[in-house]
Amino acid sequence: MKIIIIGAQAAGASAAAKAKRRDPNATIRIYEKSDIVSFGACGLPYFIGNHFGDENEMISRTPEQFAKDGIEIKTLHEVIAIDPKLKKITIRDIKSNNCFDDDYDKLLIAVGATPIIPPLENHQLENIFTLRNMYDGLAIKNALTNRQNSNIVVIGGGYIGLEITESLVALNKNVKLIQLDERVLVDAFDPELTQIIEETLKQHCDLHLQERVQGFEGDHKVTHVITNKAKYPADIVIIATGVKPNSELYKDLDLETLSNGAIVIDSYGKTNIADIYAAGDCVALYHRVSQSMTYIPLATGANKLGKVVGDNLAGGNNQFPGTLGTSALRVFDIEAGRTGLTEQQAIQAAIPYKTVIVKDKNHSNYVAGQTSVIAKLIYHAETRVLLGGQLAGGSGAALRTNSLATAIWANMKIDELAMMDFLYAPPFSRPWDILNIAGGIAK
């Protein structure tokens, strides 16, 4: 069995390791366009914010470690064509620029995602960055060492935009966060939650909502950001407007995809082309609640699907059970988590629903550090089965999302939360946890 994997990050690396464990005799070869493998991009905002200093902490395994397990990784090798009929790929050696072919029995496409860069005038100026790979992080960190670079503009109010904003404020930079939509985290949280996050952001940075960036000014290096409302000085600009599947390689194949290029797979990770599998941030995942294929580029889904696909590449019969899109972030002294469907997503899925919102405290009032917490739960209007939930507040708010994810995964009803035996100890919770209360008062 000869298995070729295109891409050596989360999904590709997980698949290779699992396939080798499943079939130690299999030939497994990975082609990776960059010179870095098994990279965890989620750590980038914290690397830039000096939470740690060694960028290699974001690398899980090196090519040498893979080689010890009998997995061959060819870095700086870009796959430029796939021929499904001949079961052959064409590769370009980036160092020599020479091209050559390789064949496969099974092929995994795990090429990940690429940053979305809006059509902004003069976006090629120096000190305008995206934040997706290690070299982005190193370049931004280097630019920040220049004390004259004090005015930073972050474009985009998603997870990365908010996390990098917090890190930049901690570095004593003047940060302006510009968001096109009427609120931050518009695709992940409902307005009741984002309002709290925005209030916290406004205490630490200059938040601009419903404002469109049109371009940049500067000779060689950016000096100003131009929007539909004003012109702002900028020494550094970070564009964090989301990602899209890196579909250039496979766009001309007859692969079934979503409109954004995300590859549609079945529960085994198979595409609609024989012996070609896909995983990671270039694929659409099955959502367990909406029961539809959706694009949710998260490290958790990439790693888990990669493991499933790796098993199947080597002869297994494993199925990926789907995703809930469970995720969280911290923004200064607020943490927030979400899982399942938001209210807006329930509307889009045409699911009859109800909601319950509870405001409470994270733990007992006689223990230092008590803060407010808000929970919003969405449940089916007829069956009362939980559809989604969000929490935001002080310490302990985000991790409660894991309890909600477990309940949704198990198809529990909202009412069952009322008597759920959550832990109680004064430093962690109150006798009636906020989720108990939500389950008890849901109408």
Side-chain angles (χ1 to χ4, degrees), residues 371-387:
T371 61
S372 296
V373 179
I374 181 173
K376 178 177 181 178
L377 277 58
I378 298 97
Y379 56 99
H380 199 286
E382 299 166 1
T383 66
R384 300 183 68 79
V385 169
L386 284 161
L387 302 174

Side-chain angles (χ1 to χ4, degrees), residues 231-269:
K231 180 168 76 171
Y232 307 110
D235 302 307
I236 294 174
V237 174
I238 299 175
I239 300 174
T241 49
V243 298
K244 60 182 179 181
N246 197 6
S247 60
E248 186 66 25
L249 170 64
Y250 58 80
K251 67 179 182 179
D252 294 326
L253 298 180
D254 291 327
L255 284 172
E256 182 183 357
T257 66
L258 299 183
S259 60
N260 71 340
I263 301 171
V264 175
I265 55 172
D266 65 12
S267 59
Y268 300 93

Side-chain angles (χ1 to χ4, degrees), residues 82-288:
I82 301 171
D83 188 334
K85 292 182 180 179
L86 297 179
K87 300 185 76 170
K88 180 184 73 174
I89 61 173
T90 301
I91 306 101
R92 181 174 69 91
D93 183 332
I94 293 176
K95 287 184 177 179
S96 66
N97 206 35
N98 292 329
C99 294
F100 60 95
D101 294 338
D102 200 354
D103 58 1
Y104 63 86
D105 294 313
K106 299 286 182 68
L107 176 68
L108 170 60
I109 300 174
V111 293
T114 189
I116 296 172
I117 301 178
L120 304 174
E121 186 177 358
N122 296 326
H123 69 270
Q124 77 285 349
L125 289 172
E126 291 181 15
N127 279 6
I128 298 177
F129 303 99
T130 57
L131 185 59
R132 184 65 182 171
N133 58 46
M134 181 184 289
Y135 294 112
D136 293 334
L138 290 169
I140 293 171
K141 194 162 188 174
N142 181 63
L144 290 168
T145 60
N146 184 343
R147 293 186 178 182
Q148 293 182 343
N149 292 334
S150 58
N151 294 313
I152 319 294
V153 175
V154 178
I155 303 171
Y159 285 91
I160 295 298
L162 269 59
E163 289 170 348
I164 193 64
T165 292
E166 179 182 5
S167 290
L168 294 169
V169 170
L171 296 175
N172 296 315
K173 302 297 183 180
N174 302 317
V175 184
K176 192 180 302 294
L177 175 60
I178 302 177
Q179 167 74 333
L180 175 62
D181 296 294
E182 62 184 11
R183 54 192 183 87
V184 299
L185 299 166
V186 66
D187 294 325
F189 291 87
D190 286 324
E192 297 89 347
L193 285 292
T194 56
Q195 179 182 355
I196 294 170
I197 296 169
E198 288 163 6
E199 289 172 356
T200 298
L201 283 167
K202 290 174 182 177
Q203 296 174 19
H204 299 275
C205 72
D206 189 9
L207 177 62
H208 292 240
L209 300 174
Q210 293 183 291
E211 189 163 349
R212 179 185 295 275
V213 174
Q214 297 175 329
F216 311 101
E217 283 187 356
D219 292 329
H220 301 287
K221 175 178 163 297
V222 65
T223 59
H224 290 85
V225 173
I226 310 299
T227 77
N228 61 329
K229 295 183 178 180
K231 180 168 76 171
Y232 307 110
D235 302 307
I236 294 174
V237 174
I238 299 175
I239 300 174
T241 49
V243 298
K244 60 182 179 181
N246 197 6
S247 60
E248 186 66 25
L249 170 64
Y250 58 80
K251 67 179 182 179
D252 294 326
L253 298 180
D254 291 327
L255 284 172
E256 182 183 357
T257 66
L258 299 183
S259 60
N260 71 340
I263 301 171
V264 175
I265 55 172
D266 65 12
S267 59
Y268 300 93
K270 296 178 180 178
T271 71
N272 61 307
I273 298 179
D275 296 321
I276 296 183
Y277 295 69
D281 289 352
C282 62
V283 308
L285 298 178
Y286 175 76
H287 198 289
R288 289 174 64 93

Side-chain angles (χ1 to χ4, degrees), residues 241-377:
T241 49
V243 298
K244 60 182 179 181
N246 197 6
S247 60
E248 186 66 25
L249 170 64
Y250 58 80
K251 67 179 182 179
D252 294 326
L253 298 180
D254 291 327
L255 284 172
E256 182 183 357
T257 66
L258 299 183
S259 60
N260 71 340
I263 301 171
V264 175
I265 55 172
D266 65 12
S267 59
Y268 300 93
K270 296 178 180 178
T271 71
N272 61 307
I273 298 179
D275 296 321
I276 296 183
Y277 295 69
D281 289 352
C282 62
V283 308
L285 298 178
Y286 175 76
H287 198 289
R288 289 174 64 93
V289 180
S290 68
Q291 298 182 2
S292 63
M293 300 302 291
T294 185
Y295 186 60
I296 305 178
L298 293 172
T300 46
N303 279 288
K304 291 168 185 171
L305 178 59
K307 184 176 182 180
V308 168
V309 172
D311 189 61
N312 296 338
L313 286 167
N317 194 38
N318 203 355
Q319 294 188 65
F320 180 67
T323 183
L324 296 175
T326 307
S327 56
L329 81 163
R330 186 191 68 194
V331 186
F332 301 104
D333 56 351
I334 292 291
E335 49 183 67
R338 54 91 61 216
T339 186
L341 301 182
T342 64
E343 182 174 358
Q344 183 59 38
Q345 289 166 346
I347 293 171
Q348 292 171 348
I351 299 174
Y353 72 92
K354 292 183 178 180
T355 66
V356 59
I357 297 175
V358 179
K359 296 180 180 180
D360 198 49
K361 302 295 182 179
N362 62 337
H363 59 62
S364 299
N365 58 1
Y366 47 79
V367 176
Q370 187 190 60
T371 61
S372 296
V373 179
I374 181 173
K376 178 177 181 178
L377 277 58

